[in-house]
Amino acid sequence: MSKKLEQKWASSIAAMKAVQVAFDLDTRLQYAIRLAALEEGLSPSDQIRSMLELPVTTRPKRPRLTVTLNGDDYQRLGKRYGVAADDQLEIKKKVMQELAEQADTLLKDN
């Protein structure tokens, strides 16, 4: 096996040995951690690592939010925007536009 391939597998093995740990914190504490993460531009898990003085990877993260949409959701959104339910790209554009407008309103209110 080549040296480069061995190094690649070594990092994969280390990643497989990592264990995700979940914490059941009350809502107030979760909010505080999430807020601090948002202010620092970190994910909540990276914020926890930072608070525990553990290394935080500084690789760039895609600034995205996700939502799961099913067929019925696309039907509703298509009707809402006057777009065919199967035109998912156009629906996504309309959703992004609406969310941007609502976010602007939220930011103006604060």
Side-chain angles (χ1 to χ4, degrees), residues 11-25:
S11 65
S12 295
I13 290 169
M16 289 188 311
K17 289 183 179 181
V19 177
Q20 186 172 26
V21 179
F23 299 97
D24 291 321
L25 302 172

Side-chain angles (χ1 to χ4, degrees), residues 26-37:
D26 72 38
T27 305
R28 185 178 60 86
L29 294 174
Q30 287 186 39
Y31 178 81
I33 291 170
R34 287 187 172 119
L35 183 60

